Every structure is written in C-alpha cells, then in structure tokens.
C-alpha cells in the first residue's frame, strides 16, 4: 500500500498544541503502520490501514476528540507527492534558494487561480491542481502574502510547508514504499 503524507493545519500555533507523540499514537491507534513524524509542526508519514482516503478524516476525528479542538488534516499519497515535487515551476529556486519556496496544499482545487501577488511584494505564485507554489525572494516571515490571504483568494482551506520539509516528507514516504 502506498504511504500517505498527512499535514495538520494550524498545528502548534495559537495555543493549538499537538505533540508528535500524540500524533503518532493517534495514527497507530487507527491501525496505521510505519508511522513517523517530521519536526513538531504537524507532519506525519505512514502506511495506511485501509483506504488512503480515510487517513485524513480518521486522524482529524481522533485528534479532535483527544485534544478538544478541531484538527483539520490534509493528505497526499506518495504518487501524488512525487507529482507535486516534479511539477514545481520554480526550478532555479529549488536549487538556489529552497528555503524561500513554499508549497500550499488545499482541501480541494482552488476556485480562483488568477490571483495576482504583486500588491504583496516580489512574491511569485503558481497554481497546479490542489496545490499552489509560492516563491518569497525577500523572505517568508515578513511577507504580506500569507496563508489567510491565499485562502481568501482561492476559496479553499489549506496548509503550507517550506520546500525543505516537502523534500524531507518525500524521503520519509519513499522509505516506507
């Protein structure tokens, strides 16, 4: 069975603390195997017990019940993740400046993809399916192009990961394939 990469939305921000051990225990409690987390910011890779499509809802329900707050979980299979990595449009930046490249994963295909990032600075944005790639040449931390701005523009809910994390999650998933 293909490994699944699960991304928690808004984990460990705004008082919504989720420890990696809790995340692993929830996944293992659902019968998933080869469970590992990556940095304590809501990243988990596992081999699913049952259909891959049930991983996100199952983890969300289990964590929400345990923690007492909503825990949205977005998932991608390893083949989907490999496609995400292969179609990155900012190929020069992947090599020269990966720490300023961000992947946004959405809970579905954005309704609007003609978003113009120029009012926010020098950022560049590219849409591809259920993901958006953004390059922040002047840094991410001070940018006005934030997840809430992109959520409003796309009409979707999502979560973001920097490119180094994207590649680390791919490596962990391939180790489980």
């Amino acid at each position: 069975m293909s490994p699944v990469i699960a991304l928690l939305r808004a984990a460990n921000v705004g008082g919504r603390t989720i420890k990696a051990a809790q995340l692993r225990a929830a996944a293992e409690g659902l019968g998933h195997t080869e469970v590992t987390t990556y940095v304590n910011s809501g990243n988990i890779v596992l081999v699913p017990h049952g259909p891959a499509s049930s991983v996100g809802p199952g983890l969300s329900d289990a964590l929400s019940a345990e923690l007492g707050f909503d825990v949205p979980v977005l998932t991608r299979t390893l083949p989907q993740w490999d496609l995400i990595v292969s179609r990155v449009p900012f190929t020069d930046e992947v090599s020269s400046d990966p720490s300023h490249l961000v992947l946004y994963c959405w809970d579905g295909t954005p309704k609007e993809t003609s978003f113009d990032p120029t009012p926010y600075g020098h950022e560049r944005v590219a849409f591809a399916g259920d993901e958006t790639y953004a390059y922040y040449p002047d840094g991410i931390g001070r940018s006005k192009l934030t997840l809430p701005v992109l959520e409003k523009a796309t009409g979707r809910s999502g979560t973001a990961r920097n490119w180094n994390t994207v590649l680390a999650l791919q490596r962990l998933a391939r180790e489980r394939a």
Side-chain angles (χ1 to χ4, degrees), residues 36-60:
T36 190
T37 56
Y38 179 75
V39 300
N40 200 28
S41 59
N43 303 298
I44 188 165
V45 178
L46 53 80
V47 174
H49 172 73
S53 61
S54 69
V55 171
L59 277 175
S60 181

Side-chain angles (χ1 to χ4, degrees), residues 50-173:
S53 61
S54 69
V55 171
L59 277 175
S60 181
D61 290 347
L63 290 167
S64 297
E66 179 183 340
L67 300 168
F69 54 83
D70 188 36
V71 183
V73 179
L74 300 172
T75 60
R76 303 294 188 267
T77 63
L78 177 56
Q80 290 170 321
W81 203 257
D82 284 341
L83 180 61
I84 289 167
V85 171
S86 72
R87 68 179 177 197
V88 63
F90 304 115
T91 53
D92 291 340
E93 293 79 359
V94 164
S95 300
S96 65
D97 195 15
S99 64
H100 289 149
L101 182 59
V102 173
L103 172 70
Y104 291 91
C105 292
W106 305 115
D107 61 355
T109 304
K111 297 174 178 132
E112 179 59 51
T113 59
S114 62
F115 175 77
D116 178 11
T118 55
Y120 299 93
H122 299 107
E123 290 82 351
R124 294 182 308 183
V125 175
F127 293 88
D130 293 351
E131 289 78 36
T132 300
Y133 303 85
Y135 177 61
Y136 294 82
D138 301 324
I140 300 162
R142 295 186 186 148
S143 176
K144 304 289 186 219
L145 184 61
T146 61
L147 177 60
V149 168
L150 286 169
E151 285 180 325
K152 184 176 179 183
T154 61
R156 303 305 319 186
S157 180
T159 190
R161 299 297 185 272
N162 73 46
W163 199 251
N164 292 325
T165 297
V166 168
L167 296 179
L169 293 171
Q170 182 184 42
R171 178 183 49 78
L172 289 169

Side-chain angles (χ1 to χ4, degrees), residues 9-18 69-72:
R9 185 179 185 283
N12 299 328
V13 295
R16 298 167 45 95
T17 303
I18 304 169
F69 54 83
D70 188 36
V71 183

Side-chain angles (χ1 to χ4, degrees), residues 1-25:
M1 181 154 304
S2 176
V4 170
I5 296 165
L7 309 171
L8 279 63
R9 185 179 185 283
N12 299 328
V13 295
R16 298 167 45 95
T17 303
I18 304 169
K19 292 184 167 90
Q22 290 173 302
L23 182 52
R24 283 190 302 274

